Amino acid sequence: MILLLMVVATQTFAQITVNIQNKPLREALKEIERVSQYKFFYNESLPGLEKNSTLRLTNATIDAALQQLLANANIAYRISENNIIALTVKEDANQLANQAQQNKVMITGQVLDTNGIPIIGANIIEVGVPGNGTITDYNGDFSLNVNRGANLKITYLGYGDVLLNTAGKTSFAVVMEENTEMLSEVVVTALGIKREEKALGYSVQSVEGDGLQTVKGVDVGTSLSGKVAGLLVRNSTEFTEAPSIQIRGEAPLLVIDGVPYANMTLRDVPSDDVESLSVLKGATASALYGYRGSSGAIMVTTKKGLSAKGLSVSINSGTMFAAGYLAIPEMQSSFGRVVKTNANGKQEYVRSGDGSWGVPLDGREIIQWDPISKSMQPMPYLPIGKDNFQNFLETGYILNNNINITQQGEFGSFRTSATWVNNKGQYPNSTYDKLTFGLGGDMKIDKLLLSASMTYNKQTTPNTGFRGYTGYDPMYSMLIWSAPDWDVRQYRDYWVVPNEVQNSSYTSTNNNPYFDSYERTHSQDRDIFNGSVSIDYDLTDWLKATARSGFDIYSDRQDITVSKGSFQGAGSSTVLSGGTQVWGESQRGSFNIGLGRGYSLNNDLLLSVDKSFGDYRLEGLVGGTIYYRQDDGIEARTQGGLTIPAFYSLKASVNPAAVRSVMYKQQVNSLYGRLGFSWKSLLYAEATFRNDWSSTLSEENRSYLYPSVSGSFIVSELLPSYDWLSLWKLRGSWTSSKTPADIYSINSVYSITSNAWGDLSSASFPSSIKGTDVLPESASTFEVGTAINILNNRASFDISYYEKKMYDFLRSASISPASGYTSNFVNTDEEITRKGVEITVGGTPVKTKDWQWDLSLNWSKYARYYTQLDSVYSTDKPWVAVGERVDHYTLSDYQKDPEGNIIHNNGLPIYSKYPSLFGYADPDWLWGINSSLRFRDFTFGISLDGRVGGIAQTTTEMYMWRAGSHPNSVVPERFLDANNPGTRNYTGEGVKVVSGEATYDTYGNITSDTRTYAPNDVAVTYQTYINNLHRGTAWGGSPSTLDAYSTTFFKIREISLTYNLPAALSNRFKAKSASISAVGQNVFLWAKQFKYSDPDGGYENFSDPSIRYLGFNLKVVF
Amino acid sequence: MKRINKYIRYTGLAVLSVLILFGCNNFEDINTNPDDTTSVSASLLATNVILHYTKFAGRDGKSLIADNALPKYVGYANEGQMDQQYNKIGSGYFDAMTILPNIQKMIEYAGGSVMEDSYRGVGAFAKAYTFYTLTVKMGDIPYSEAGLGAEGVYKVKYDTQEQVLKSVLDELQAADQYFAKGRTFDGDPTPYKGDPVKWRKAVNAFALKVLMTVSKKETIGGINLKTRFAEIVSAGNIMDASTGYYGLMYSSKNRHPLSGTNDLFTSRTILSSLLVNQLKSLNDRRLFYYGEPAGAKIAAGKTPSDPDAYEGVDVEIEYAVMNTGHSNNLYSLLNKRYLQQEACEPLRVVSFAEQQLILAEAVLKGWISGDAKAYYESGVKAALTDVMTQTTASYAHEMPITAGYIAGYFTGEAAFKTTASEQLKQIWIQRYILQFMQDAETSFFEYRRNKYPEFPINPATSLNENNKNGIPMRWLYPAAETNYNRENLEEALNRQYDGYDEINKIMWILK
């Protein structure tokens, strides 16, 4: 901000300082363009352009400069508001006289587009008279002296040519139409090959970088939500958790500037560095990437040089603050914890932390922990902590600042970019910093194009926190096993004995939340460095060689420290990717450190051909890639506690520290080729092949071929030309993709456990049978689609249908452990087919000079079906059958009578012993709407997206029920139970068995049933009932049907209101352009069943409250 | 320019081809994990094999408590009703059978070495122990085709319980012979430290236990139980007081499953009145080692060393009532040493004490001749001595077991009675007390055989929906068998249980 003000202060009025000595006028104009923001438009035939001129001025206005420069030339000028200066031939009296003599006539006119907006700079030439022409000015007006009855040709980039016969008329209104062909989009495809979208036989969708740079969260991935049909972005609400991205249900490959790095993620790409994103949706689109691209790819093109020579400085600053929550758990405030009679016969509450199944919070006197005096004191028992969770939360924010400087010279460009993202989470001590520094440039010398870039990323957080039930999330101790009878605000002083005994209302299970945030921490420090160099050399005008080398290297340090006196360890958390879960070690304290590092190399060499023979065009390439990656890491954990409290070092380990190292290596060599063919702009066909050799397969099977074919047919070229039809294209593609085994997965090795008992180590034989002769997994994908653009591309429609048949699955297929093994690593005969449809509709319903409304909608659906089963390895269940969906969500339902009533035993609902089908885990369909509305300099943008269907367990609510914390658990029966200990007051709705018995076969079908029923009349306590009704755990196993929710929801993902400063205003501080926006992210949520947490993350296990972010964004380009 | 063209073209292609060639040769190395090995030793495998069936197999402290809730040692007033306390049993698992390839590999590595016989003995015992435990839980199980996955047998046929048990007895006999020839071997995590003499004794003691467990039968697969039992005893290679237990010692490195916990899962484990009352009536000081005095009794003026300060819970009462009682400090909790100490007591899998009590019963059954009283007393003395020597007396509420106390134990209710039926009950109750927080499943198997000690049953709280007045009799078959081995499972179910896998069905040994 300070920097910005300085810039504004020094750059005031646009005044020109030039020194031109005896140079052609053409050069002088270029010089003025260079030192000012003005651009000249003129016809190349303008007389006097080559005439030498001289101009010396200091801090002059543009008018002064032009008057001096053009004084002796026969040229008039006109300056428009957007700094465009149109030069035309001056018409003077002498000239008019001459014209009359020469039988000439002056033609005037105005050129407009189909919306009535003037076209500036359109070329008008007199046909057959070389050198006679002009261009339109700011109002679209032109005038030109022509021979009587001459023909004029009017041209403008992107518009169809217009021919005009001037016979008998001197004034014309010309309407130019946009040229569909000229506008056809260029997209980046595999290996960075740029191609016209209409030539593609597969589905690719682009997202422009501009759309990602106004509302900037931590991750650019979040901004992709709902923007691309078939792209599912699951945004977790957990602090620092990156969104998970799937294309057509699978995780895509990330390619940055042509390099498929192994360790880079979208998190490492600042949104301000993105020029465009190209989503290659299927295996065909990314066939040239081999197995790594078998699930599609996201191709990021980063910003490079400028379109014109010069220097540009761009500053983009985004600030967003938490402004409320879309979903946050609430807690009942009527009941406290269990109260016992203490040794003195007084009422004292139990401090072991087991929820709120105790006495009503009615002000009765109870001996309680007083956090101020740090002793037990009699106090009235009241719901003083009903807002504990909200009171504990802090205001989060996201700052996302970028400055980048680009210099474009004649032979190349250089760009440097620095980004700082600072995210404050909602819990104390949760901050996250991300620094990115990037350099890139290119050089073009003759036939050689050299480009290089490198990026350094640093991401740090002192405490990323702990997640989920099994990680002991803060919610675990505040909302679940807690009661609203203590006020968290009194617990900021969290020590009783520093570093040893915490000041907590509880003596087990529930940490003081402040203690938990500061003394049980998981810090992360990650550095990633990546770079690439690429050389293109034009061997001939049709043959090009490209060499490209990319590498990335990361190092990652994670520490988990747990203070002595903590009631929880680190649970399922790990300090190394794929490392050991840090269980236990609570109370005694523990220190855990993980160091991970790794790198990947990707070297490509390509030769590409592009040659046309008349209407035929042939493109092709051959190339090879060597890809190598290596990850290694070491982790160490103290054992048996810390010898000195708060001494967080491996040296503090009571028993010898547990140490483990890992190393993963893989190399894949590839040869590939591509052949593209097109005829006119009617027919496009393409075939690719790729052969990989992967180190992870046995010698016999490590080589595999990966072919693809695709084609596109432009139907509209064959049809008579209709006004309304701009483009109609049919496309189709097929590929057979392969995925080799994972690293080491074919190796049959013993696992060694050191110190398995005492000092003895042990070795165990693998419990999986390893077949070394396994083949790579295969899939064959076909896709068909059509795209229609109508009304001069004002509206477009695109639909794709695809089927991906996956077979030869490499599975550790479960087998009966009676075989001595729990699984068999084989290619199973099971075959699964994913079928999907994607539809994109876009349009510009309104487009006038002042108004423009753009709208795009996308909708997609996919599901996986069994298309063949394996007689040995497929699960023998009714829902595993040909034609059934693969993502079945099964659980053990309540036992029910023929009328559907829940059967009770001793007053409690009983469950079936057999799992049954409850629904499907994947969403049924996804949708997104993106719209922007521009009025003059104001633009309002909104994006919405949602999912329909898909089942997920609500772990939070299930545990809130079971702990008695759920707001809906405050019922009259519970008061009766609490006030009359030993009584049972809740009678569940349903039936009980009076006599008889049912028997079942092994599928769970009833084989005989003699049961007779009566209404359930056995009362139990509400607590017991609820605990049986909401069965399920966070440890695996299925929930009860009540806690399996539909994840249907929709969200207003982003809104923004941008004001683009008019040039006159931004010129005042020497800026080329400037804009200011009010922005919001994660603005509104509607969910069908999830009320207390956000289902966006796709699963629900103590999801942190979903934060609404509002803020502003400032963007200035100099 | 031409030259540069060529230069780029040829160098690039040359580099690429060289790298590819080089890379391919290197592939085996690349795909080898330096942190794994393809070659080990018999001793490393032996450690794994022994731990596989000896070590407590449950996930955590809670599963140890659940094991003890089924035979009514404890009630559980924590997070929710514990199924086992209210007579509900779930599914068993066959995962223990993955020990078979490990045994095979251990014997392969041992081949030709002086320790080969010992490792064969370990293998035979491990196999016998594993399959015995599985069959007495579920009934018919895979045996003859088990462990042949590497040969392609994935759908494994079930053998009858009789066939399995016969094989178990054969394996135990074989183990006895291997250890007879064996030398001290490496890799033994038990206190025996590879001593084949002690192993042999433990194997035979365990064989006696197996025979007694199936005592409802006369013969198994042609083996006369009585004869086999007598043969083992007369051969004399059974445990004596100096053999010590077969099991594992806990330490700071290998902590007791409950050690260091005091949480939602373990902090409210209440002793059952069944156990407490028996201990009280026997004037047995193990009471003070097993439990804590009830808070309400202390508040009422009792001292922790007074047996009357101890109160168990009737484990069939309603969960909510038990919880209220717990809140009011009415009950004795599990002794604190279990949660606080790293090694509160060792895990005794086969013990001299248990063997002596089994011998006492065998005398009463007429399987062997001898003095039932002497066996009874030596068994109980051994049990008390184990507690005296292997636990920390400071947790015993000033009522430690001493040599003097042991010498005076056999008075009152503890004195060996006169009628055989009373004597049997005394033996059984001592076996019951012996297994508290040890091999609790054995006490459940003993209950199935003897219906003693009598477990409290309350149809109003029972979760055993098909037989509210009874204790369930078996574990269900593994759920995974219906996914991957259904035909063989169904055959076994049809053979034994009318095709219906249910917990109240009666298996062959109980018929």
Side-chain angles (χ1 to χ4, degrees), chain A residues 920-946:
Chain A
Y920 298 96
D922 289 342
D924 294 331
W925 41 279
L926 319 172
W927 60 272
I929 298 175
N930 295 282
S931 184
S932 72
L933 180 66
R934 181 183 66 80
F935 173 66
R936 296 203 172 144
D937 295 321
F938 291 91
T939 308
F940 174 74
I942 186 165
S943 65
L944 301 93
D945 62 81

Side-chain angles (χ1 to χ4, degrees), chain A residues 357-379:
Chain A
W357 289 115
V359 300
L361 291 159
D362 52 7
R364 65 181 77 185
E365 188 175 276
I366 302 280
I367 296 176
Q368 306 171 46
W369 178 254
D370 172 19
I372 310 301
S373 69
K374 298 175 185 177
S375 60
M376 298 297 285
Q377 298 292 338
M379 291 184 276

Side-chain angles (χ1 to χ4, degrees), chain A residues 338 340-341 352 354 537 626 661 702 747 750 758-759 763 765 816 818-819 824 876-877 905-906 984 1002-1003, chain B residues 1 5 19 28 31 35 37 102 147 149 154 253-254 268 318 327 329 459-460 462 468 481-483 486 490:
Chain A
V338 169
K340 66 176 185 182
T341 312
S352 57
D354 56 353
Y537 186 77
I626 293 177
S661 66
R702 73 168 55 123
N747 299 354
Y750 291 92
D759 298 327
F765 194 68
S816 167
S819 65
N824 193 2
D876 185 2
K877 283 284 185 286
N905 172 42
N906 291 335
R984 296 169 283 274
T1002 53
Y1003 289 99
Chain B
M1 266 308 154
N5 284 357
L19 280 177
E28 307 294 337
N31 204 39
D35 289 311
T37 175
N102 285 283
Y154 308 134
K253 282 180 192 162
N254 308 106
R268 299 185 194 171
E318 201 183 333
S327 295
N329 302 321
S462 176
K468 290 193 197 179
E481 288 293 289
T482 66
N483 289 337
R486 188 187 304 276
E490 284 179 347

